[in-house]
């Protein structure tokens, strides 16, 4: 039985496997392929690969609307959920009160919320994880985790 949330267009393809005669099965697959190509061309069928979805979620990680479920909040969203980003620091700019703006290799900018005694160094590994109450913590190369917020 097909998943009720699945695309009926793709279900036709799966049904072709049940056709016994070779020529009829080939005709079924050809018709299904034309239907899928037509649906993609018209925009009524969207096909996304998991790697593209995860990369997009990683790029939006930490932004205010990043928690929205682009895939409807079902199993697909759970399977592509991003709760941390591992990258390196590419630049550091002093902010206010011993805080810093940290540019990362993934083209995002984060600001430390907690003051730091020394500025982080470019080239240093960083892991940013979700913390309690919707916040984020950055672990910078073995230092204690510090609260951060995404700037852009």
């Amino acid at each position: 039985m097909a998943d009720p949330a699945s695309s009926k267009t793709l279900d036709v393809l799966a049904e072709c496997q049940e056709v016994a005669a070779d020529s009829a099965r080939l005709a079924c697959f050809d018709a299904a392929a034309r239907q899928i190509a037509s649906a993609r061309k018209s925009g009524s069928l969207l096909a996304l690969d998991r790697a593209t979805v995860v990369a997009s979620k990683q790029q939006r990680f930490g932004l205010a609307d990043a928690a929205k479920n682009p895939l409807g909040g079902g199993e697909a969203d759970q399977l592509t959920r991003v709760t941390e980003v591992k990258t390196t620091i590419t630049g550091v700019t002093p902010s206010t009160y011993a805080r810093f703006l940290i540019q990362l290799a993934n083209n995002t900018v984060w600001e430390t919320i907690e003051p730091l005694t020394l500025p982080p160094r470019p080239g240093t590994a960083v892991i940013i994880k979700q913390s309690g109450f919707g916040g984020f913590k950055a672990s910078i190369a073995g230092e204690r985790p510090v609260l951060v917020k995404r700037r852009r």
Side-chain angles (χ1 to χ4, degrees):
M1 182 173 151
D3 178 3
S6 73
S7 168
K8 302 299 182 222
T9 306
L10 296 178
D11 289 345
V12 171
L13 185 64
E15 291 168 5
C16 290
Q17 291 179 312
E18 304 300 320
V19 177
D22 290 345
S23 60
R25 187 171 50 254
L26 179 58
C28 181
F29 278 125
D30 285 345
R34 281 191 299 277
Q35 184 179 355
I36 290 168
S38 175
R40 285 200 62 203
K41 187 174 182 179
S42 72
S44 64
L45 175 67
L46 301 176
L48 304 170
D49 63 282
R50 184 180 312 274
T52 302
V53 172
V54 170
S56 175
K57 287 184 174 188
Q58 286 176 335
Q59 199 59 33
R60 299 207 47 77
F61 184 75
L63 294 175
D65 66 345
K68 290 181 181 175
N69 298 321
L71 303 177
E75 183 180 352
D77 267 321
Q78 287 301 317
L79 292 173
T80 58
R81 186 169 177 228
V82 174
T83 58
E84 70 177 38
V85 172
K86 297 178 183 179
T87 186
T88 58
I89 296 172
T90 58
V92 177
T93 306
S95 188
T96 58
Y97 304 110
R99 297 177 182 166
F100 298 91
L101 290 174
I102 303 170
Q103 293 90 22
L104 302 180
N106 65 358
N107 294 321
T108 62
V109 176
W110 296 76
E111 182 176 14
T112 60
I113 296 173
E114 299 177 79
L116 301 175
T117 54
L118 295 171
R121 289 177 300 192
T124 305
V126 62
I127 300 172
I128 299 179
K129 295 182 180 183
Q130 287 180 318
S131 64
F133 302 109
F136 298 90
K137 285 197 173 196
S139 297
I140 302 170
E143 297 290 328
R144 69 174 177 81
V146 294
L147 290 171
V148 294
K149 62 181 170 181
R150 173 94 183 254
R151 284 299 186 187
R152 47 174 208 259

